[in-house]
């Protein structure tokens, strides 16, 4: 296993050391809409193949936490009235609430 992540203009980390002081794990958008039955992906009729990374991510999370790495989770969120939402997402959310999806 390499000590470096290939990069341009140089590999990272520069000295080859991934430590809790210079590295964090960032987990993006692991939420119901993308990963669970009843979420956006499922409701739109798409295959829930997006569940495949859940178990490997859990293993990486456990190992990073065990070793003292910072873990950052992100998720998409909106105001209750959806005033900060994009038109496409707003229409989907309202249709979902009315039960008129599909």
């Amino acid at each position: 296993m390499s000590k470096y992540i290939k990069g341009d203009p140089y590999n990272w980390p520069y000295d080859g050391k991934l430590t809790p002081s210079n590295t964090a794990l960032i987990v993006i958008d692991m939420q119901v809409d993308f990963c669970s039955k009843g979420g956006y992906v499922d409701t739109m009729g798409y295959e829930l193949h997006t569940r495949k990374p859940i178990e490997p991510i859990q293993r990486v999370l456990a190992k990073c936490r065990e070793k003292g790495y910072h873990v950052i989770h992100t998720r998409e969120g909106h105001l209750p009235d959806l005033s900060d939402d994009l038109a496409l997402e707003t229409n989907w959310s309202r249709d979902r609430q009315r039960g008129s999806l599909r």
Side-chain angles (χ1 to χ4, degrees):
M1 175 178 241
S2 175
K3 294 179 3 179
Y4 299 98
I5 297 170
K6 192 143 181 74
D8 182 20
Y10 51 82
N11 293 337
W12 185 89
Y14 191 72
D15 63 0
K17 296 180 183 172
L18 296 174
T19 67
S21 66
N22 70 6
T23 306
L25 174 66
I26 302 175
V27 181
I28 302 173
D29 275 346
M30 294 302 295
Q31 54 188 330
V32 170
D33 267 356
F34 301 108
C35 300
S36 297
K37 291 196 182 290
Y40 173 76
V41 172
D42 182 46
T43 304
M44 293 303 292
Y46 301 124
E47 186 178 328
L48 282 179
H49 63 275
T50 55
R51 294 190 62 79
K52 289 180 182 177
I54 292 174
E55 195 271 326
I57 290 170
Q58 288 173 328
R59 284 196 318 264
V60 172
L61 274 169
K63 188 56 80 173
C64 284
R65 287 177 174 145
E66 174 188 314
K67 301 286 185 183
Y69 286 81
H70 290 282
V71 176
I72 301 165
H73 295 267
T74 70
R75 67 177 180 88
E76 184 175 349
H78 298 285
L79 296 172
D81 67 357
L82 301 176
S83 60
D84 62 339
D85 201 353
L86 299 173
L88 180 62
E89 292 174 340
T90 300
N91 291 337
W92 177 83
S93 295
R94 287 185 184 144
D95 288 346
R96 183 174 182 206
Q97 290 169 0
R98 290 184 201 129
S100 59
L101 265 175
R102 286 204 189 229

